Amino acid sequence: MTTRYAPPSMYRSREGVGVWEHRGKVAAVGVGHSPTERRWDERPETSVGAWSIMALRNAIADAGITPDQVDGLVIVPETTTGAFWPEDKALPQDVIEAFVQTNDPLDGIAKLSVDWLLKNMPELTNINYSLYAPVCMSNALNVAAQVVGDGLAHTVLVLKAWHNLQGRYYQGGQNAQDAIGGTSAMRSLWGAPACYGTALQFAEYCHKYNKNHDMMTPFIINSRRNGLMFPEGYWAQHRPEELTDEDYQLARWIAKPANLFDNDIPIMCAASYLFTTAERAKDMKQKPVYILNHADSDAVPRGLTPTLDEVEAECALTGRKIYEGAGITAADLSFENMYDGFTQFHQFHIEGLGYRGIGFGDALDFYQTDISIEGSNPVSPSGGNIGSGRSRFWMHTDSIQQLQGRAGGRQITGVDAEIGVSGGPMPLGGNYTVWSATPD
Amino acid sequence: MSILISFDIDGTLEIGDPPGAVTLEMVKTARAKGILTGSCSDRPMSAQRAIWKKYGIEYDFVCYKHLLPDLKKQFDAESYYHVGDRDDLDRKYAMRAGFGFFWPDEAAKNPLLL
Amino acid sequence: MKQGVIPDQFTAPFWSAANESKLVIQNCSKCDRLQHPPAQECGQCKSGTNLEWKEMSGKGRIYNYGVVHDCPIRLLQDDQPFNVAVVMLDDDPGIQMYSHLPGTPADEVPVGAEVRVVFEETANGQKVPEWKVVT
Ligand SMILES: [Zn+2]
């Protein structure tokens, strides 16, 4: 089976296209995760391929169906956190021997193909439709929702996995060289770390609205607290450390005004969700969570990095697209699980949504109020990437589990979990899903 | 002669992630010699305190790497040392703050810890 | 010290102009629209057939900045912390360029100030546009 990337027509990128034609007719049922690890120890059973298989099998089991009932796959083929397998390093032989290989030796180690998964999951006997989605689970969810809605497949597994290798983040490769190519030099010659663009937007935001970095503290503490109640997450599994005001406010700068704890930690992990039609979902093991809409932001900044004006305009547009297609308003949201890895754009996302009536420049004041899962205005109940490490999928798992009433310690209690929204990553360039406990 | 030694955790102490060459016994030995000891790491300061408490080791301070100059002001010692495994975050910060510097494997052989 | 630059076919005109102390930016003659970084096609009309290089005045303003304390590039780590500012060109404020703002101490950046282009040598001798605050 040849698998291609999802075509642009699958995404809901425009405003003014009305309510999603499949609103409430597609449901998420099963959730499956692998464990987490900081870096790969180069054993076969902890490879990105092995953990992908584990996440997929867990999602199937969670939905209470048999593998032969699955007829579609939507996966993200890119698995890197920024780490690439060194060209001069031999691949571990025991890993190669542990799996059925495709013609790409890095398949299942530093990337993932549908072909590799099907060769190594013989129980998936009825897959007749598959698509790739680029980079993020958020993107793959949009594609899978459309695939099921359009009837291209009726029971679809969605997968995103991450590999992280030995060595320090982004310190090898081009960054260690004495000279680089002319095209990448245009941007990278100045040594700005990954969080720099977001830090710039945050600096402009603070200047415009008279806010400061310390005002982020309640959001950081709340996110880590929620993350420590996420048994699938990295911090809960490996280093159950809460954060205090002092911990955050005194931390070293990476690119001022972004500090160490404004950045998420790169990890290895995999997650999968089982999507199916609302009709079929009724007979499965878990309570169905209905998809009301999916929306895509495809804006491109004019310059090297988005300006605050561009960010605010795009987040507002994304908010309008999200609500229009779902046929809801901001007042219908029980909770929000917008992306946070970097912390300093979470406020752009929720201001664009007008979450709890806030507008641009309001979020940091909103963070000073009760934003806990016990209150009526829960912010990032998943804890996001700050709470559980860089997966860009905790917010989706949490949204599904909140609406199924099985978010455990993270279950929101100050408001009934009826409708939630999750997605990201960037203010310019992201994918969003609206989830509901009921189909209408 | 009063001495202060600051230990990085990850890649430096045996309990770090990854584990380093400096054992907790060495830290205890240094303390028994009257050396001021504590940690200086990227881990949250509250977590650093929790680590020392967990292993039942007294400490004089916890610190972030860029705050080594403040640590020096806080304690009146004749010599200050930092032990760490990273060139940019340990050695350079230590040098700038006027600390002596040891890599973990050097420290593990140093008479101050034995 | 900045990493050296190995011009590729696509960006060669930018880099050879820099070696002659000239700042050129890609322009779509059909849209009369500048774009940077350069691309294979115009961001507006999506055509690649009308792209040319246009010399700039070399004047700009500091739009915003961050201070880098933990840089992934080995050759720059000795210089930490350092400014990375965003300069908007007077010729078209939509065109941004990064700058270390040579001569401006870290975190003492006058946002909004006028800057002028200068050309700085990188590790392999290739020159690169940089910006200095006009005093
Ligand atoms: Zn054009």
Side-chain angles (χ1 to χ4, degrees), chain B residues 60-104:
Chain B
D60 298 292
F61 57 86
V62 295
C63 187
Y64 283 147
K65 300 187 188 198
H66 64 299
L67 298 179
L68 281 175
D70 297 324
L71 185 68
K72 199 173 179 189
K73 282 184 210 146
Q74 215 179 317
F75 290 92
D76 188 22
E78 280 161 49
S79 321
Y80 301 83
Y81 299 101
H82 176 67
V83 183
D85 67 317
R86 280 160 60 156
D87 184 58
D88 56 340
L89 289 176
D90 290 301
R91 194 184 65 81
K92 281 178 188 160
Y93 273 121
M95 294 307 191
R96 276 185 202 172
F99 279 55
F101 176 77
F102 296 112
W103 298 106

Side-chain angles (χ1 to χ4, degrees), chain C residues 5-8 23 38 102 113 115 122:
Chain C
V5 180
I6 306 157
D8 42 35
L23 174 63
V115 288
T122 63

Side-chain angles (χ1 to χ4, degrees), chain A residues 153-190:
Chain A
H154 58 70
T155 302
V156 170
L157 284 166
V158 199
L159 173 78
K160 167 68 195 183
W162 294 88
H163 76 261
N164 193 29
L165 306 175
Q166 302 299 321
R168 278 187 66 197
Y169 182 50
Y170 280 145
Q171 301 271 322
Q174 175 175 299
N175 289 335
Q177 290 167 8
D178 292 335
I180 57 174
T183 298
S184 64
M186 298 269 178
R187 281 178 186 279
S188 60
L189 217 46
W190 285 266

Side-chain angles (χ1 to χ4, degrees), chain C residues 28 30-31 42 44-46:
Chain C
C28 173
K30 188 174 157 218
C31 301
C42 166
Q44 189 163 288
C45 69
K46 309 295 175 196

